[in-house]
Amino acid sequence: MSTYKNFIRVGFFCLFSFSFFSCGFFLVPPLEVITSTFDEKGVIIEFSRSPTSFSLKNGFSLTKDDENLTGQFYFYDNFVRFEPQKGIQKNFEYKLKLSSEIEDKKGISMLNDYYHTYSTRKEEVAPWVKSITPSDGTVFFDDNQKINHIEFTFSEGIDPASFDSNFRIEPSVDYVSTFSECGSIVQIVLLEELQFGKEYIIYLDTNLSDFYGNKMENPFVSSFSYGQDFISPDFDFFLLSKDDNEVLKIENQIDNVFIDDRFQIVFNEIVDIENLSAFISMEPDIPFSLDIDYQTKKSAKIFFDKNITWGKQYFLKINPGISDKAGNTSQKEKIFSLCFNNEKNRPVKFLKAYLKNGQNFHLFSLDNQYSSLSFDVVDFPTVVGSESVSTDLYLFFLVSKESEGINRFSAMEFIDLSGTNGCSDFFIKKITSFSSKEFFSQTDFPLQQIDQELFSYYENQENGKICILKCQVEITNNENKGLITLSINKDVSDTLGNTLNEEIICVVNKT
């Protein structure tokens, strides 16, 4: 019996061992990159198995100094060759990435992304400025001391084309640049005489590169003053166009300004721009924000909050005390009058409304609240079970002359007529929008006889134009007394998107 049990134990052990061996034997390893090699034409990649062309092309990326490259693929068994259109060029850094989504013909993919960086530069050290003459912060007190050149000494030779496109001096001065034989010394020969009492700022951008394409790691800024600065900083104030391509200088006041217009302060020299907001105020007070040019430290754009009242005059005050680098401060208070009254931004204004009541018309207006309205029972019977009666409600608005009137869809959503105490039921079935000319030609509403004030809006449209909504209202009249309310949400808009400044509630007393 003991021998039999041992036989069973051995059998189970062998079966378990065979199962474990079988799983390991049939497990397929992931697709791997064996090598990637660059030559003057392109890159050759060796895989552990042949990848599919579709997954390889989707998961392949090769960049040249962060520029994505396109080219031709060639497939040879487990090898793939990619040749960019211009081959592998000198003085560039190439980055190869193979995505883990690349797979072989059996659908087995790579376990991880593969990366390889290849450089054709002889060296990869970023250039830097060792010295500049005049040195940073130099002040020339003698106006007889003429400055005719500026000289840079770099850590290595600089590409002349790269220098010319990345050097600038402010205020602008005409110059020519000359380079030493090794290219590490650059001399800026000034072709015009510098202005005494001016500070000159020298900039080098990070795109400046050496002969091997290595770029500067940080921008370079240096300054010198030609003569001691005792002059207070000054500025100009501008209205900007939507795309900043056009500017309009503002002397002291401007009107016809759009609600979303922006403004810009431009100083004649570098100032303590970080604290500029402390010197700006608005009356009446409205929130504003600044977009400061921290690179030049000479300008800032002003953005006003949308909570601006159309047609209202605002005063932008810029207080004295803004300082320049020499410690001089602005001396004068400047006040600019701004009026955001461009006709295109004119808000919608509700004037009056008239509900047709038999042969008469009842007025709904803010100046005629809680007036008495008694429906003509001949036209609006109160018998239980009577069907609703259709009548017209005319609403008069003042809108921008540049709009095409009230947006009918906003009117359908945001205009309501309702009653309390079950006095009457109202349903606005249809709304039609009319211009003043269309209104007189397509309706029989006797405007001139009923309301001379509204008729004057029609005759004199210098300040906006009149627009009328005709609402077809279904009314079911009841004997109960109550209040009838005309509600106009402030989101009712014209075709330009202008809305009312406030919600309109007009109430009449049904007797």
Side-chain angles (χ1 to χ4, degrees):
M1 178 67 71
S2 173
T3 304
Y4 181 71
K5 289 182 178 178
N6 290 337
F7 177 79
I8 293 175
R9 291 191 185 100
V10 171
F12 273 106
F13 176 79
C14 293
L15 180 62
F16 175 80
S17 301
F18 177 76
S19 299
F20 181 82
F21 173 78
S22 299
C23 291
F25 180 80
F26 290 107
L27 182 65
V28 180
L31 181 66
E32 296 180 344
V33 176
I34 307 301
T35 60
S36 57
T37 307
F38 282 79
D39 58 26
E40 62 181 10
K41 291 185 178 180
V43 57
I44 301 175
I45 307 160
E46 180 184 2
F47 290 89
S48 58
R49 294 184 298 277
S50 176
T52 64
S53 61
F54 177 78
S55 68
L56 187 282
K57 291 178 181 179
N58 285 339
F60 178 92
S61 171
L62 182 63
T63 61
K64 179 184 71 176
D65 281 359
D66 299 325
E67 174 193 354
N68 287 317
L69 298 178
T70 58
Q72 184 67 43
F73 290 92
Y74 301 92
F75 294 85
Y76 311 95
D77 296 330
N78 294 359
F79 293 86
V80 177
R81 181 176 180 84
F82 176 76
E83 295 183 356
Q85 292 180 351
K86 296 183 180 180
I88 303 300
Q89 299 174 290
K90 293 181 179 180
N91 297 326
F92 289 101
E93 181 180 72
Y94 292 85
K95 292 182 179 180
L96 170 68
K97 177 185 176 182
L98 301 173
S99 169
S100 59
E101 297 178 357
I102 297 175
E103 58 185 28
D104 62 15
K105 296 179 180 178
K106 293 184 178 181
I108 307 300
S109 62
M110 293 171 55
L111 188 60
N112 299 301
D113 292 346
Y114 175 84
Y115 298 91
H116 183 187
T117 300
Y118 178 76
S119 178
T120 57
R121 297 184 177 123
K122 292 184 179 180
E123 55 92 351
E124 298 183 0
V125 179
W128 52 279
V129 179
K130 295 177 66 176
S131 65
I132 182 174
T133 304
S135 59
D136 186 29
T138 299
V139 178
F140 296 93
F141 294 99
D142 187 359
D143 59 354
N144 293 320
Q145 187 177 3
K146 303 301 181 184
I147 303 172
N148 53 28
H149 72 277
I150 302 167
E151 186 171 285
F152 290 93
T153 301
F154 290 92
S155 58
E156 57 184 305
I158 297 299
D159 177 28
S162 169
F163 180 89
D164 288 337
S165 61
N166 289 284
F167 166 84
R168 72 182 190 278
I169 180 171
E170 295 180 1
S172 179
V173 178
D174 288 337
Y175 68 90
V176 293
S177 54
T178 63
F179 296 79
S180 64
E181 185 175 351
C182 64
S184 62
I185 299 176
V186 182
Q187 194 172 86
I188 306 299
V189 180
L190 305 176
L191 301 180
E192 58 183 279
E193 188 174 322
L194 300 183
Q195 300 178 47
F196 193 77
K198 283 282 186 181
E199 181 183 44
Y200 289 85
I201 315 296
I202 297 164
Y203 300 92
L204 290 175
D205 294 334
T206 53
N207 285 326
L208 184 144
S209 62
D210 61 17
F211 289 118
Y212 306 110
N214 301 303
K215 297 179 181 179
M216 289 207 313
E217 293 181 348
N218 300 300
F220 177 84
V221 182
S222 183
S223 66
F224 65 89
S225 297
Y226 188 45
Q228 194 168 12
D229 182 7
F230 293 107
I231 302 173
S232 298
D234 198 6
F235 64 89
D236 290 319
F237 192 54
F238 297 94
L239 173 67
L240 299 177
S241 64
K242 303 297 182 184
D243 54 7
D244 292 355
N245 288 332
E246 295 183 9
V247 295
L248 174 64
K249 185 177 179 180
I250 304 172
E251 296 297 341
N252 47 41
Q253 68 179 40
I254 186 172
D255 58 9
N256 201 34
V257 181
F258 288 96
I259 295 293
D260 57 353
D261 270 342
R262 295 165 299 155
F263 300 84
Q264 186 176 33
I265 301 174
V266 180
F267 290 88
N268 61 346
E269 59 179 312
I270 292 178
V271 296
D272 182 18
I273 201 78
E274 291 86 352
N275 296 314
L276 178 61
S277 61
F279 297 90
I280 301 176
S281 62
M282 283 288 290
E283 295 180 6
D285 183 37
I286 54 171
F288 66 89
S289 58
L290 296 180
D291 180 12
I292 294 175
D293 186 346
Y294 287 103
Q295 185 173 7
T296 65
K297 296 185 177 182
K298 294 170 65 175
S299 71
K301 295 175 183 177
I302 302 179
F303 300 82
F304 291 107
D305 189 273
K306 296 296 183 182
N307 191 26
I308 293 174
T309 302
W310 185 90
K312 193 169 187 176
Q313 189 174 33
Y314 293 87
F315 296 94
L316 175 72
K317 182 189 296 184
I318 302 179
N319 296 309
I322 303 169
S323 62
D324 62 14
K325 290 184 65 176
N328 304 304
T329 59
S330 57
Q331 301 298 310
K332 297 180 180 179
E333 176 187 80
K334 291 189 177 182
I335 299 177
F336 301 92
S337 172
L338 314 175
C339 190
F340 297 85
N341 61 344
N342 190 282
E343 180 64 25
K344 193 172 183 179
N345 296 139
R346 177 185 290 275
V348 176
K349 180 181 179 180
F350 170 72
L351 299 175
K352 298 178 183 180
Y354 281 95
L355 178 67
K356 189 173 183 181
N357 180 17
Q359 299 300 315
N360 300 312
F361 292 90
H362 190 86
L363 172 65
F364 286 76
S365 79
L366 296 176
D367 298 327
N368 191 42
Q369 300 282 33
Y370 298 99
S371 60
S372 296
L373 168 62
S374 178
F375 283 120
D376 188 333
V377 293
V378 175
D379 294 305
F380 301 95
T382 59
V383 179
V384 176
S386 297
E387 295 183 354
S388 62
V389 177
S390 179
T391 190
D392 295 325
L393 172 68
Y394 296 94
L395 297 98
F396 296 82
F397 295 89
L398 196 65
V399 298
S400 168
K401 290 186 288 186
E402 297 187 25
S403 78
E404 295 179 7
I406 295 294
N407 182 311
R408 189 168 59 86
F409 298 102
S410 74
M412 290 291 295
E413 183 175 1
F414 296 118
I415 295 178
D416 184 53
L417 193 64
S418 61
T420 65
N421 197 35
C423 65
S424 299
D425 295 324
F426 302 90
F427 173 66
I428 299 178
K429 187 175 182 180
K430 179 181 178 181
I431 296 181
T432 306
S433 178
F434 294 100
S435 67
S436 56
K437 292 182 179 179
E438 292 172 337
F439 180 73
F440 282 104
S441 63
Q442 299 182 29
T443 71
D444 57 358
F445 185 84
L447 179 62
Q448 187 172 7
Q449 292 79 10
I450 291 180
D451 198 313
Q452 189 61 41
E453 182 183 16
L454 285 178
F455 187 72
S456 66
Y457 280 108
Y458 164 72
E459 290 187 312
N460 180 14
Q461 299 194 21
E462 292 182 4
N463 298 315
K465 66 180 180 181
I466 196 168
C467 173
I468 305 97
L469 294 181
K470 178 184 177 181
C471 303
Q472 182 182 344
V473 183
E474 299 290 334
I475 300 179
T476 302
N477 193 20
N478 297 309
E479 293 182 349
N480 298 345
K481 297 179 181 180
L483 299 177
I484 300 174
T485 302
L486 171 64
S487 303
I488 305 175
N489 189 289
K490 66 179 182 179
D491 288 329
V492 169
S493 63
D494 64 12
T495 57
L496 297 176
N498 301 309
T499 59
L500 285 87
N501 286 330
E502 60 184 0
E503 183 180 9
I504 302 297
I505 302 291
C506 297
V507 183
V508 300
N509 187 16
K510 186 205 168 189
T511 58

